[in-house]
């Protein structure tokens, strides 16, 4: 994925605000000609899980439609999802893999330890859906974004 | 003019699946039900199949289908009838740990 530091900071801040629960949201942006997701905005959403929000997150189809509408109004698309891992490493869990949606989305995970955001990583589901593969996070200066 | 006009609907494709539809964000297919239309879509773009259907050939659990802003789960599901000009949206619900 390509993005800017302020977008990553927004994701980190949401992870800290949601602690000890998982925070989650959508990544809005564009797809470059070579298939990279360029994230312009991180859009906060509400974790819809009714229980165990410290270990699980959920976004409904209606949440997706709202984010998609907001993206289109800005000439953007939903290109990914982010969520936080409270007191847990910034890598996909087994649950993340079981519940994974489409290859092509960027999944950003930020670890939050004792309320402080730490590592932030990006992943994409393998085309055969067998695993998440690490995505490089390329930072651009603001004016280039 | 044909006596049996085809039911042509538009399917909105989520961003990450557009690599399977030659980059198109919408695709027109024929079908009188949601199931017909989605099967026609997958026939035309076979790379979509694994992402929409599971091993039992049913729509994956996270795949939600809307027809003109109505979630078909609250109606007749994939048997929901379509009219020419209907818009079908494929909408993922997201979850994880």
């Amino acid at each position: 994925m390509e993005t800017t530091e302020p977008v990553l900071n927004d994701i980190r801040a949401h992870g800290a605000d949601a602690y000890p629960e998982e925070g989650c949201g959508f990544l809005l942006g564009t797809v470059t000609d070579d298939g990279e997701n360029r994230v312009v905005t991180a859009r906060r959403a509400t974790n819809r899980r009714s229980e165990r929000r410290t270990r699980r997150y959920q976004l409904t189809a209606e949440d997706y439609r709202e984010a998609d509408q907001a993206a289109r109004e800005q000439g953007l698309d939903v290109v990914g999802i982010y969520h936080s891992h409270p007191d847990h490493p910034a890598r996909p869990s087994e649950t993340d893999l079981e519940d994974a949606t489409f290859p092509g989305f960027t999944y950003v995970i930020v670890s939050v330890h004792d309320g402080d955001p730490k590592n932030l990583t990006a992943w994409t589901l393998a085309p055969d859906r067998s695993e998440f593969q690490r995505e490089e996070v390329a930072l651009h200066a603001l004016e280039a974004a | 003019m044909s006596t049996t006009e085809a039911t042509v609907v538009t399917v909105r494709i989520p961003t990450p699946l557009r690599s399977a539809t030659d980059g198109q964000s919408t695709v027109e297919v024929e079908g009188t039900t949601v199931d017909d239309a989605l099967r026609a879509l997958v026939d035309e773009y076979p790379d979509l199949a694994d992402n929409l259907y599971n091993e039992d050939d049913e729509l994956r659990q996270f795949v939600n289908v809307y027809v003109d802003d109505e979630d078909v789960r609250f109606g007749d599901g994939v048997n929901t009838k379509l009219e020419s000009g209907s818009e079908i949206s494929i909408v993922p619900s997201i979850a994880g740990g």
Side-chain angles (χ1 to χ4, degrees):
Chain A
M1 71 180 270
E2 301 174 12
T3 191
T4 62
E5 194 66 36
V7 169
L8 300 186
N9 285 338
D10 285 347
I11 295 170
R12 293 182 181 111
H14 190 186
D17 289 348
Y19 187 88
E21 298 185 351
E22 294 196 11
C24 52
F26 295 93
L27 305 175
L28 313 188
T30 57
V31 183
T32 65
D33 290 341
D34 53 2
E36 287 279 316
N37 289 326
R38 172 175 280 198
V39 179
V40 176
T41 308
R43 179 183 167 88
R44 288 190 181 203
T46 300
N47 184 349
R48 301 293 186 184
R49 283 285 299 206
S50 56
E51 54 181 12
R52 295 192 71 206
R53 281 192 299 275
T54 56
R55 280 287 170 263
R56 296 285 185 272
Y57 79 101
Q58 185 174 24
L59 296 163
T60 64
E62 281 299 322
D63 292 327
Y64 185 94
R65 278 162 56 82
E66 268 185 35
D68 185 54
Q69 181 66 32
R72 280 193 277 161
E73 285 168 6
Q74 300 171 65
L76 304 174
D77 284 306
V78 177
V79 297
I81 300 106
Y82 72 86
H83 73 285
S84 62
H85 276 179
D87 300 312
H88 206 72
R91 77 173 78 95
S93 63
E94 282 183 26
T95 305
D96 288 328
L97 185 59
E98 285 166 14
D99 291 341
T101 58
F102 300 129
F105 274 139
T106 293
Y107 281 79
V108 165
I109 301 176
V110 60
S111 63
V112 183
H113 291 278
D114 287 333
D116 290 328
K118 299 294 183 188
N119 292 335
L120 185 151
T121 55
W123 307 80
T124 192
L125 185 64
D128 67 1
R129 312 181 60 84
S130 64
E131 60 173 354
F132 272 104
Q133 296 167 336
R134 188 81 180 257
E135 263 189 50
E136 189 192 347
V137 179
L139 286 178
H140 287 272
L142 272 180
E143 52 275 16
Chain B
M1 197 171 168
S2 165
T3 51
T4 53
E5 282 189 31
T7 304
V8 179
V9 300
T10 301
V11 186
R12 280 183 50 79
I13 309 294
T15 324
L17 297 187
R18 292 176 197 165
S19 57
T21 59
D22 302 330
Q24 297 178 89
S25 58
T26 59
V27 174
E28 290 199 341
V29 295
E30 290 183 16
T32 55
T33 65
V34 166
D35 188 53
D36 285 349
L38 292 181
R39 300 287 177 185
L41 177 72
V42 168
D43 279 349
E44 195 169 345
Y45 299 104
D47 287 350
L48 290 174
D50 279 352
N51 288 310
L52 298 183
Y53 292 97
N54 63 20
E55 294 77 5
D56 298 323
D57 202 31
E58 294 165 344
L59 281 177
R60 291 186 179 276
Q61 198 173 1
F62 66 81
V63 174
N64 302 273
V65 179
Y66 283 68
V67 175
D68 298 331
D69 297 329
E70 294 291 331
D71 185 341
V72 302
R73 283 218 172 95
F74 301 118
D76 292 329
V78 293
N79 298 317
T80 299
K81 295 270 192 299
L82 300 174
E83 295 172 6
S84 265
S86 292
E87 184 176 84
I88 298 178
S89 299
I90 297 167
V91 183
S93 48
I94 318 279

